[in-house]
């Protein structure tokens, strides 16, 4: 008797929730024609066969450093320039974005996303809001990674750390000194999804 009393309300709740989910409009991918990226246009061209790479602006200098006193020499690394790389994607109009998918073509260290629905001003005084989903995670492999956005977006900023380009290491002027150029991560496509 008690089981019957609880099963009827439970079935009603499940039925109402199921109907609500069926009535919710489906998600649709925003076409590439609505997306713009001056720095990396291949990231939003709608073609998964093209690859775009973040521009890296720096090198890593590794050298032995002698400290004062009796401490032994230590091997230290210093970044000359910046370890950070970024690109900016703009939609044609502010749009409520449910999520985006990043289709990586390489490892992407410390990938972070920030968004704003404000228009760019001459002094770029607008503020970005951090997307907390998977913030600063290392993306590995080539499978798409989904990031929940769930807000209105006009600009999406992607930032990631550059990586050491170990194929192009050169020796410096000091013994044991190495100059390692930095290279940016690569992405095949960034896809945006909205609810109609």
């Amino acid at each position: 008797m008690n089981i019957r009393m609880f099963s009827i309300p439970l079935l009603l709740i499940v039925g109402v929730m199921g109907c609500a989910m069926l009535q919710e409009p489906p998600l649709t991918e925003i076409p590439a024609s609505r997306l713009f990226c001056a720095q990396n246009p291949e990231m939003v061209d709608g073609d998964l066969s093209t690859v775009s790479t973040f521009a890296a602006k720096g090198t890593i200098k590794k050298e032995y450093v002698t400290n004062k006193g009796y401490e032994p020499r230590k091997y230290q690394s210093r970044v000359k320039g910046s370890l950070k790389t970024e690109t900016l994607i703009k939609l044609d109009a502010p749009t409520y974005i449910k999520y985006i998918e990043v289709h990586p073509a390489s490892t992407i260290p410390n990938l972070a996303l920030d968004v704003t629905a404000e228009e760019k001003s001459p002094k770029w005084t607008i503020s970005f809001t951090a997307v907390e989903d998977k913030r600063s995670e290392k993306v590995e492999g080539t499978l798409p990674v989904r990031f929940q956005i769930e807000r209105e977006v006009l600009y999406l900023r992607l930032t990631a750390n550059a990586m050491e380009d170990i194929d192009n290491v050169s020796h410096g002027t000091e013994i044991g000194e190495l100059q390692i150029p930095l290279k940016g991560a690569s992405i095949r496509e960034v896809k945006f999804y909205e609810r109609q």
Side-chain angles (χ1 to χ4, degrees), residues 127-140:
S127 58
F128 282 85
T129 303
V131 174
E132 297 300 335
D133 187 30
K134 303 177 191 69
R135 185 128 185 115
S136 299
E137 282 190 12
K138 183 177 185 179
V139 175
E140 295 185 284

Side-chain angles (χ1 to χ4, degrees), residues 13-14 42 49 61 65 78 80 91 99 107 109 112 123 133 141 143 147-148 159-160 177 186-187 191-192 196:
I13 291 170
V14 170
E42 294 86 2
S49 66
K61 183 178 181 181
V65 176
R78 287 185 293 147
K80 295 173 74 176
L91 284 86
Y99 65 86
T107 298
K123 296 183 180 179
D133 187 30
L143 294 175
F147 294 85
Q148 296 298 324
T159 58
E177 181 184 314
S186 296
I187 293 177
K191 295 186 175 189
F192 290 70
Q196 288 292 343

Side-chain angles (χ1 to χ4, degrees), residues 19-36:
C19 288
M21 288 176 65
L22 289 173
Q23 290 176 357
E24 197 170 296
L27 291 174
T28 57
E29 181 182 343
I30 292 180
S33 60
R34 291 188 55 203
L35 305 171
F36 309 95

Side-chain angles (χ1 to χ4, degrees), residues 62-66 73-76 174-177:
K62 293 188 176 185
E63 61 186 333
Y64 284 108
V65 176
T66 305
R73 292 183 348 153
K74 293 182 179 178
Y75 204 59
Q76 290 187 343
E174 302 292 325
I175 296 173
E177 181 184 314

Side-chain angles (χ1 to χ4, degrees), residues 38-183:
Q39 303 109 318
N40 300 91
E42 294 86 2
M43 283 187 191
V44 292
D45 64 0
D47 186 355
L48 287 171
S49 66
T50 59
V51 174
S52 192
T53 303
F54 287 94
K57 300 173 184 167
T59 59
I60 293 179
K61 183 178 181 181
K62 293 188 176 185
E63 61 186 333
Y64 284 108
V65 176
T66 305
N67 295 323
K68 294 180 181 180
Y70 298 103
E71 291 184 31
R73 292 183 348 153
K74 293 182 179 178
Y75 204 59
Q76 290 187 343
S77 297
R78 287 185 293 147
V79 176
K80 295 173 74 176
S82 176
L83 190 62
K84 183 179 173 183
T85 64
E86 72 176 40
T87 196
L88 196 64
I89 298 172
K90 183 182 180 187
L91 284 86
D92 63 345
T95 306
Y96 185 86
I97 302 298
K98 180 70 174 169
Y99 65 86
I100 66 157
E101 283 182 349
V102 174
H103 294 254
S106 73
T107 298
I108 310 174
N110 294 331
L111 179 61
L113 309 177
D114 301 285
V115 296
T116 185
E118 296 179 40
E119 183 56 72
K120 186 176 180 180
S121 68
K123 296 183 180 179
W124 193 264
T125 56
I126 63 173
S127 58
F128 282 85
T129 303
V131 174
E132 297 300 335
D133 187 30
K134 303 177 191 69
R135 185 128 185 115
S136 299
E137 282 190 12
K138 183 177 185 179
V139 175
E140 295 185 284
T142 55
L143 294 175
V145 180
R146 184 177 290 183
F147 294 85
Q148 296 298 324
I149 306 294
E150 297 180 359
R151 64 183 65 128
E152 196 166 83
V153 175
L154 180 60
Y155 288 95
L156 170 73
R157 182 174 62 196
L158 294 94
T159 58
N161 283 356
M163 301 171 286
E164 293 182 9
D165 186 358
I166 55 174
D167 294 332
N168 294 303
V169 176
S170 61
H171 294 280
T173 55
E174 302 292 325
I175 296 173
E177 181 184 314
L178 297 174
Q179 298 280 346
I180 306 170
L182 294 173
K183 63 180 181 179

